[in-house]
Amino acid sequence: MEKLVVIIDDMPEYGRRLALYLNACRTFPYRAVLFATAEEAKGYMKTDGVYAVVASEALEKEVLEVTLGTKVKLFRLSENKDRGDLFLLYRYGSVKEIVRRLTEQKEVEKRIPVLGFFSPAGGCEAELLSREIAKRLGRKGKVLYLSLFPFGSCKRTGEDGLSEALYFVRQEKDGARVSLQHLLRYEENMDSIGPVRWYTDLDSVAKEDIKALLQSDRWDTEYEAFFVAVGAFDRTGRNVLNCCDSVLVPVWETEQGRNIQEDFRRQLKESGETKLYSGMLEFSVKEALGQVSEETFAEAVQKGGEAIAGSCGGNTKADAGTVGSVG
């Protein structure tokens, strides 16, 4: 089935020209379609027929409303260049560059998917819940579990843990890779690295640290996914979660739990955390006889597994061959 790239722009003439140029490009693997509003495109978002939405920054929040909970990628049309943001398209750039940005996500170069976990409600159950989900995902394919909770439920073994892993990757120079195999713990259906030595070791974790730690060529063992559980929504937590393809978010089925999640959603949206907002995978936490129900784990594993599968792609990179500017 031919996948769609939906264009929603507050400059309709630009959007029309962009759709024409993309569809005229022989190597563009999708079909571009133009909609006037996000509401018009809403019905398409719930199917597997849409690969991505290209939307102007002015309409970003409107588009987030209809893409939340889907696998659809969101690219933003901007009048400012930002080479560091893979999901930003420079409005006045060449068609070739726009096509490259839209299609380079297919060139996954065997990148291992990163699935995050964060509970806005907090609580000591959150880390235990994340570990159990990781173990159950590991039944389908090997998982490396990393806990970025300041106080871990699983004790450090000897001197080895996440503090040492971060230290090692920060010492690397000239692209050299340090093997971290000696830090691994081998648990049921998953591998893991012990927690940090001191909670302050999490204060200065940057995106670059996490990206370096999760380089697929660092690990001798082939993993189906990295599972990264975050304990706090501070600067470090946001840095880590923004490195994830998707983030599992438990919603406790109580009035308080739903209120917390609603407020978390609102704050993400209003603060501009668009990547986190669109990549959030909510699942309901229900209890049975005082324990988390099997229904809860089944939903989390299903959504997590689908996200992992959806993050894997082919190795083809399109060459647009068109150099003119759309604008």
Side-chain angles (χ1 to χ4, degrees):
M1 181 177 69
E2 186 180 34
K3 293 265 189 177
L4 301 180
V5 168
V6 171
I7 300 172
I8 305 171
D9 195 3
D10 58 344
M11 296 171 59
E13 181 57 29
Y14 175 94
R16 186 188 67 80
R17 290 201 306 271
L18 178 58
L20 286 173
Y21 285 138
L22 292 177
N23 289 331
C25 179
R26 290 180 301 171
T27 53
F28 187 64
Y30 310 107
R31 182 163 66 89
V33 292
L34 177 66
F35 288 92
T37 66
E39 189 64 28
E40 286 185 10
K42 185 175 181 179
Y44 291 87
M45 302 302 173
K46 305 302 180 183
T47 71
D48 290 329
V50 178
Y51 163 71
V53 175
V54 175
S56 59
E57 289 183 310
L59 300 176
E60 185 176 2
K61 291 184 179 180
E62 178 184 330
V63 172
L64 282 172
E65 290 287 353
V66 300
T67 57
L68 178 63
T70 71
K71 300 177 184 178
V72 176
K73 301 179 186 299
L74 173 59
F75 291 85
R76 292 167 291 129
L77 280 169
S78 173
E79 298 190 5
N80 300 309
K81 290 185 178 181
D82 182 358
R83 296 184 182 276
D85 188 343
L86 295 178
F87 291 90
L88 184 143
L89 304 177
Y90 179 47
R91 184 183 289 277
Y92 303 114
S94 69
V95 179
K96 181 177 181 179
E97 175 62 18
I98 291 176
V99 170
R100 185 185 71 79
R101 286 289 181 106
L102 287 171
T103 58
E104 68 184 358
Q105 299 298 317
K106 295 186 69 178
E107 191 185 65
V108 182
E109 74 278 328
K110 296 183 178 179
R111 188 183 67 84
I112 299 173
V114 183
L115 182 62
F117 176 97
F118 175 68
S119 172
C124 59
E125 292 181 339
E127 187 188 15
L128 298 175
L129 181 63
S130 71
R131 295 184 74 87
E132 183 61 26
I133 293 171
K135 288 179 180 179
R136 296 188 182 215
L137 283 169
R139 295 172 185 172
K140 299 182 178 182
K142 201 165 188 180
V143 170
L144 175 61
Y145 174 84
L146 299 177
S147 171
L148 277 82
F149 281 75
F151 308 105
S153 61
C154 187
K155 294 182 179 179
R156 289 170 57 92
T157 301
E159 298 300 318
D160 298 338
L162 187 58
S163 296
E164 288 69 34
L166 291 168
Y167 172 80
F168 288 137
V169 299
R170 288 166 178 166
Q171 304 310 305
E172 294 176 340
K173 294 181 180 179
D174 302 323
R177 292 277 181 268
V178 175
S179 175
L180 301 178
Q181 294 294 120
H182 64 289
L183 297 178
L184 289 178
R185 295 176 172 186
Y186 302 100
E187 303 184 40
E188 180 186 1
N189 298 324
M190 73 177 190
D191 294 344
S192 68
I193 293 178
V196 292
R197 179 187 298 270
W198 300 102
Y199 66 92
T200 53
D201 292 343
L202 293 175
D203 289 348
S204 58
V205 177
K207 286 184 183 180
E208 292 71 23
D209 298 327
I210 297 300
K211 289 179 179 179
L213 185 61
L214 300 181
Q215 290 285 346
S216 57
D217 59 356
R218 181 185 303 285
W219 305 97
D220 297 336
T221 305
E222 290 192 4
Y223 293 107
E224 291 295 320
F226 296 124
F227 191 105
V228 185
V230 170
F233 200 67
D234 52 12
R235 182 176 180 180
T236 290
R238 294 193 299 275
N239 282 339
V240 174
L241 293 174
N242 272 296
C243 292
C244 300
D245 300 302
S246 301
V247 179
L248 284 170
V249 178
V251 182
W252 265 260
E253 284 303 309
T254 63
E255 182 180 356
Q256 294 87 347
R258 288 188 289 271
N259 287 342
I260 289 172
Q261 181 58 20
E262 183 179 341
D263 193 43
F264 179 60
R265 229 186 270 129
R266 177 189 63 79
Q267 292 195 41
L268 280 184
K269 184 178 177 183
E270 293 181 358
S271 64
E273 290 283 357
T274 55
K275 184 176 186 292
L276 284 180
Y277 187 95
S278 60
M280 198 164 42
L281 303 174
E282 298 176 352
F283 65 96
S284 299
V285 179
K286 302 173 182 176
E287 293 192 349
L289 301 177
Q291 294 183 326
V292 175
S293 69
E294 285 298 316
E295 183 182 352
T296 293
F297 289 116
E299 182 184 358
V301 170
Q302 179 185 350
K303 290 188 173 181
E306 290 175 352
I308 290 169
S311 297
C312 300
N315 296 312
T316 317
K317 191 171 185 177
D319 180 11
T322 309
V323 295
S325 168
V326 180

